[in-house]
Amino acid sequence: MDSGWITRPVCLLLIFVMAFPHLITSYSIGVGIADSTGPVAEIVFMGYAKMDQKGTGLHLRTFARSFIIDDGIERFVFVSVESAMIGHDVRSAVIAQLKKKYGDLYTDENVMISATHTHSSPGGCNLYTLFDLTTFGFIKQSFWAIINGITKSIERAHDAVVPGKIFVSLGEILNANINRSPQAYLNNPQTERDKYKYNVDKMMTQLQFVAEDSSPLGVINWFAVHPTSMNNTNRLVSSDNVGYAALLFEEHMNKNSMPGKGKFVAAFASSNLGDVSPNTQGPKCEYSGKKCSEQYTCPGKKEMCFASGPGKDMFESTSIIARKLFAEAINIWQREPTLALKGSVRVVHRYVSMPGQKGQFYNETTGQTEEVEACLPAMGYSFAAGTTDGPGSFAFEQGTTTTNPVWNAVRNFVAAPTKEDIKCHGAKPILLATGRMRLPYQWQPKIVSTHLVAIGNFLIAGVPGEFTTMSGRRMRETIASTVMESTHVKPIVVIAGLCNTYSDYIATPEEYEIQRYEGASTIFGPHTLTIYLQKYRELALAVINGSKLEPGPSPPDMTTKNLISLQTPVIYDTPRWGHDFGDCLKQPEEIVRPGQTVSAIFVSGHPRNNLMTDSSFLTVERIDNNGNWIEVATDGNWETRFYWARTSSILGTSQVEITWDIPLDVLPGKYRIRHNGYYRYILGGVFHYRGFSDIFEVQTAPES
Ligand SMILES: *[C@@H]1O[C@H](CO)[C@@H](O)[C@H](O)[C@H]1NC(C)=O
Ligand SMILES: *[C@@H]1O[C@H](CO)[C@@H](O)[C@H](O)[C@H]1NC(C)=O
Ligand SMILES: *[C@@H]1O[C@H](CO)[C@@H](O)[C@H](O)[C@H]1NC(C)=O
């Protein structure tokens, strides 16, 4: 057969695309989702960096969601992954895996990986010392769960590519986020603040993907809010508010599919959430319930100042915020007409070694333009105090630091900041001169990823950290005005937060002067943002020009370091005396009703023996008229919770409690709870087991 018949239309398309790039309205689009849940037991969560916040089970699985957009010449992959952060080594490993399968199709340049920033997933996967400090070092199982989940989601998107269209829709939610450092925000120039109605962004930006045959494919949604509705006392792995919003959207579109199993994929991705909290009741004193001081402390006795709400507990707060996000997202999805994207896909990426980068800053107060420079990384004192979303975040409080062996091991080698460091960091009193700390290995990145992608007139700025509200606004303005200089059309710009490299916070120079948590954690000094604005302006010029940039210096490969890992492995499991794995120790009530919670307890193995990826530690099942057991819920559903406890570490016995909140719209009938797991045999090997509860009846008719 003449292969020309196949290649000719492609060539014609290419010629068309190259001649009229602005006329492209149809793209090749693929969406994919995969499970990225790490070990749910005994691993410290990343985010609050509280060393006693170790997992004891699972509420919501975490997923990676991928979107491929291709205009025939350029391909772009956007990944939103439910983890606290994403480090360079994770992205490198993903790209290396894809390379084995697809050659040079997926590269540093066209794969953007954004973490949602959930604070309830297992850590130990960033590799830089500071970020793995509170997790007792590197956790291989967390690291690979994320890499494999992301890779699998991209592969699924790759296999699902179809012709389609992209629409952009905007919305607004007024009561789902507040600024957690308003004192710092207020230090931004009055003239600038006057341009905005709120001290956080209230708009929602949604990209909507629809196949040529009009079937819905997916959405990417950006709304700036921290996934910290689940607070630092939570021990169940969770994707938090944005994760539940994604599940709600997917459940709505994929009727009768279990979490992570449907075709339609909805990502609620992170944005300029640096100073944005979902705890809308604001900060209050822990016991007295009184207002905190200006500096967010509680006078008198030792009590913490933290924010919560809008619900009565953290689960309800998560659900309320998630439902607000979902309601507006589905509202704009259903609204007609939306703006269809047209124009070519352009990707520009560059690694930048931040320390020593020079820039110019216009000082509003003096009316002068100053020469400024980015510093070696360092963290300020306020960083140790944490935020009102998680007070005392880094657990560096006296007395607790000495309990961390990693900290002990490196404490003696801590480098002192030099005179230049102190001068460079200006208002920041340096607690940790992380840029000079090399033992046991690098503490924080110096080389960061800068990434900008255009799909026609829609631009996604992938930033290597947490931009505050005003930093994000300045970035969007800079990119938009750069584009407008040559196109004269105002583009839509979104900030995709926590992309590719994690380099903490990016506050404005004015916010930095106030040294709240975000300013103290702006690691390259007062002009971190000033430098980024210039760098992204250069990226924007390249995007418009259709030119490529030099790749920049390569970040170090941390996987080659001798990574410290102090997490003890699972040695063995035994069932308790007279029992087998999977035996049900506590049966559910025989007759239950909607709104009640059913619970069953099973003899179990250690959940770290097998992550049950793309599967489940539990199912709730209903028997149908033909005698078949139908899956009603898995461990990824909001209604179920999976609690694990080691009952004796010497004997290696453990048990799990599985609970199910019976939905109000439940079908009446006979049900059972199933537990799936693996145990580690004392003489070696990991073996599967399962167990069932007795059958119980769900009654929906009113009680007589
Ligand atoms: C976390 O939320 C729970 C309620 O779910 C509450 O009892 C607790 O005080 C909160 N703790 C913090 C530190 O926010
Ligand atoms: C602007 O200049 C004043 C006076 O030199 C200085 O105190 C202030 O820190 C500068 N502002 C910023 C954001 O650098
Ligand atoms: C635009 O592209 C041309 C040709 O590739 C290149 O010479 C020029 O430097 C580019 N300009 C910018 C601002 O990137």
Side-chain angles (χ1 to χ4, degrees):
M1 209 176 97
D2 177 8
S3 65
W5 286 108
I6 300 166
T7 53
R8 212 157 297 156
V10 175
C11 289
L12 287 174
L13 176 70
L14 278 182
I15 290 164
F16 169 81
V17 162
M18 290 200 287
F20 310 102
H22 56 288
L23 290 182
I24 300 166
T25 57
S26 180
Y27 302 88
S28 295
I29 298 164
V31 304
I33 182 168
D35 187 359
S36 62
T37 311
V40 303
E42 290 187 329
I43 308 299
V44 179
F45 288 172
M46 191 65 216
Y48 295 113
K50 235 183 133 227
M51 290 169 55
D52 58 0
Q53 195 191 11
K54 287 185 180 178
T56 56
L58 176 62
H59 184 215
L60 298 176
R61 267 186 190 269
T62 60
F63 293 100
R65 295 178 169 88
S66 290
F67 301 81
I68 292 174
I69 302 163
D70 193 321
D71 66 356
I73 293 183
E74 195 92 74
R75 175 168 286 223
F76 169 54
V77 189
F78 180 81
V79 185
S80 173
V81 60
E82 291 172 334
S83 71
M85 53 185 63
I86 203 80
H88 172 72
D89 294 277
V90 168
R91 190 167 81 122
S92 280
V94 167
I95 292 167
Q97 290 205 0
L98 294 170
K99 197 179 169 75
K100 284 185 212 148
K101 221 169 155 177
Y102 308 109
D104 290 332
L105 191 54
Y106 300 107
T107 61
D108 273 3
E109 202 167 54
N110 68 359
V111 178
M112 184 186 283
I113 306 180
S114 168
T116 64
H117 201 37
T118 174
H119 280 43
S120 293
S121 71
C125 31
N126 188 286
L127 279 55
Y128 286 90
T129 310
L130 180 65
F131 308 123
D132 285 354
L133 194 62
T134 52
T135 60
F136 298 92
F138 173 60
I139 310 288
K140 199 171 168 187
Q141 226 179 0
S142 300
F143 185 64
W144 284 102
I146 291 180
I147 292 165
N148 292 337
I150 295 171
T151 308
K152 187 105 230 149
S153 75
I154 296 175
E155 287 170 1
R156 287 180 179 160
H158 178 100
D159 291 340
V161 166
V162 289
K165 290 190 186 314
I166 308 171
F167 301 90
V168 56
S169 232
L170 304 178
E172 188 179 64
I173 310 176
L174 294 183
N175 50 7
N177 60 0
I178 60 167
N179 195 307
R180 68 184 190 188
S181 288
Q183 308 88 328
Y185 179 90
L186 277 176
N187 207 40
N188 289 311
Q190 177 84 47
T191 46
E192 182 181 37
R193 282 184 286 122
D194 286 348
K195 291 194 282 183
Y196 303 96
K197 206 162 158 195
Y198 305 102
N199 64 3
V200 289
D201 284 339
K202 300 285 184 187
M203 82 275 192
M204 174 177 266
T205 307
Q206 189 162 270
L207 273 192
Q208 310 183 157
F209 303 91
V210 178
E212 206 88 296
D213 67 3
S214 310
S215 57
L217 297 174
V219 298
I220 309 172
N221 181 300
W222 287 275
F223 179 79
V225 68
H226 253 76
T228 48
S229 289
M230 296 304 285
N231 71 33
N232 65 14
T233 64
N234 171 44
R235 304 287 204 92
L236 299 181
V237 167
S238 170
S239 52
D240 211 291
N241 48 31
V242 288
Y244 187 33
L247 291 178
L248 288 168
F249 205 134
E250 287 168 351
E251 188 180 292
H252 181 87
M253 303 300 288
N254 305 314
K255 299 268 182 261
N256 301 322
S257 305
M258 290 298 127
K261 300 290 180 196
K263 269 184 84 172
F264 185 92
V265 176
F268 283 67
S270 65
S271 192
N272 51 328
L273 50 62
D275 52 356
V276 191
S277 165
N279 296 314
T280 52
Q281 271 171 10
K284 293 210 179 66
C285 292
E286 191 177 7
Y287 304 116
S288 61
K290 289 202 188 113
K291 263 186 98 106
C292 308
S293 74
E294 267 290 287
Q295 289 313 309
Y296 287 162
T297 56
C298 293
K301 68 172 186 283
K302 198 176 184 295
E303 58 176 335
M304 294 189 297
C305 164
F306 61 78
S308 64
K312 64 177 187 305
D313 61 26
M314 56 182 159
F315 289 94
E316 195 184 61
S317 297
T318 304
S319 168
I320 292 171
I321 299 298
R323 285 176 187 282
K324 282 179 180 170
L325 298 181
F326 165 64
E328 183 62 358
I330 198 78
N331 174 32
I332 58 185
W333 168 263
Q334 287 161 348
R335 194 172 63 201
E336 304 262 352
T338 42
L339 181 68
L341 293 190
K342 49 179 205 248
S344 49
V345 175
R346 299 228 167 114
V347 299
V348 182
H349 180 272
R350 184 165 61 182
Y351 287 113
V352 176
S353 178
M354 284 297 282
Q357 292 289 334
K358 300 218 173 5
Q360 295 196 321
F361 175 70
Y362 176 75
N363 187 323
E364 192 90 5
T365 319
T366 60
Q368 308 263 313
T369 298
E370 304 161 4
E371 289 289 325
V372 298
E373 190 174 334
C375 320
L376 273 171
M379 302 294 272
Y381 270 88
S382 307
F383 145 80
T387 72
T388 50
D389 284 342
S393 271
F394 247 88
F396 282 161
E397 297 151 329
Q398 296 197 2
T400 52
T401 53
T402 49
T403 62
N404 182 345
V406 182
W407 176 244
N408 283 350
V410 295
R411 185 183 47 191
N412 307 334
F413 302 103
V414 167
T418 64
K419 263 198 209 116
E420 292 79 55
D421 294 340
I422 292 166
K423 182 159 177 284
C424 189
H425 283 275
K428 180 199 287 170
I430 298 175
L431 174 69
L432 298 170
T434 48
R436 297 201 181 274
M437 290 153 73
R438 290 178 202 288
L439 292 165
Y441 28 82
Q442 212 174 314
W443 278 59
Q444 279 183 312
K446 293 180 186 133
I447 298 173
V448 300
S449 149
T450 62
H451 210 171
L452 184 66
V453 174
I455 307 154
N457 215 24
F458 185 87
L459 289 102
I460 305 172
V463 298
E466 306 180 46
F467 273 51
T468 61
T469 301
M470 199 59 105
S471 292
R473 287 169 178 170
R474 285 189 197 169
M475 178 60 88
R476 290 198 302 259
E477 289 255 311
T478 299
I479 293 170
S481 61
T482 307
V483 170
M484 277 172 73
E485 282 164 21
S486 51
T487 65
H488 307 290
V489 187
K490 195 173 164 97
I492 298 175
V493 185
V494 290
I495 304 293
L498 297 105
C499 281
N500 307 344
T501 320
Y502 183 70
S503 62
D504 295 80
Y505 285 78
I506 297 89
T508 68
E510 294 86 354
E511 289 163 355
Y512 185 93
E513 302 208 308
I514 306 301
Q515 284 293 299
R516 293 269 313 155
Y517 179 80
E518 296 80 14
S521 308
T522 295
I523 69 174
F524 301 114
H527 289 290
T528 306
L529 176 65
T530 312
I531 306 291
Y532 279 138
L533 294 179
Q534 265 162 243
K535 294 293 164 196
Y536 281 77
R537 181 176 155 78
E538 287 164 26
L539 298 188
L541 289 172
V543 157
I544 300 160
N545 201 7
S547 51
K548 296 288 175 194
L549 295 173
E550 288 293 312
S554 296
D557 179 356
M558 300 291 285
T559 59
T560 61
K561 308 278 190 288
N562 189 9
L563 297 169
I564 293 181
S565 187
L566 296 164
Q567 180 66 47
T568 47
V570 181
I571 314 289
Y572 58 87
D573 295 297
T574 59
R576 61 172 75 186
W577 186 249
H579 281 286
D580 268 332
F581 291 107
D583 280 1
C584 189
L585 297 173
K586 184 188 152 247
Q587 295 290 347
E589 273 181 68
E590 279 165 45
I591 296 173
V592 288
R593 310 188 145 269
Q596 287 182 349
T597 301
V598 208
S599 143
I601 294 178
F602 296 88
V603 176
S604 82
H606 199 301
R608 264 163 50 208
N609 293 331
N610 188 307
L611 302 178
M612 307 301 280
T613 306
D614 273 330
S615 175
S616 179
F617 287 110
L618 65 95
T619 48
V620 178
E621 302 170 348
R622 181 176 56 81
I623 198 161
D624 71 3
N625 293 335
N626 304 320
N628 298 320
W629 286 101
I630 312 291
E631 208 171 67
V632 180
T634 66
D635 63 14
N637 284 82
W638 176 264
E639 294 75 23
T640 60
R641 294 184 202 172
F642 176 77
Y643 296 92
W644 173 83
R646 205 43 144 182
T647 43
S648 161
S649 34
I650 296 167
L651 298 176
T653 52
S654 35
Q655 66 181 39
V656 294
E657 180 180 12
I658 293 169
T659 68
W660 179 47
D661 297 335
I662 307 172
L664 297 178
D665 60 354
V666 70
L667 286 175
K670 296 207 183 320
Y671 286 74
R672 68 178 182 189
I673 293 172
R674 172 184 176 148
H675 164 49
N676 304 309
Y678 284 79
Y679 67 89
R680 185 172 295 276
Y681 185 50
I682 193 157
L683 299 178
V686 165
F687 301 93
H688 179 251
Y689 68 87
R690 59 182 198 175
F692 299 92
S693 73
D694 289 347
I695 294 170
F696 57 96
E697 186 166 338
V698 177
Q699 291 186 353
T700 54
E703 273 171 279
S704 51

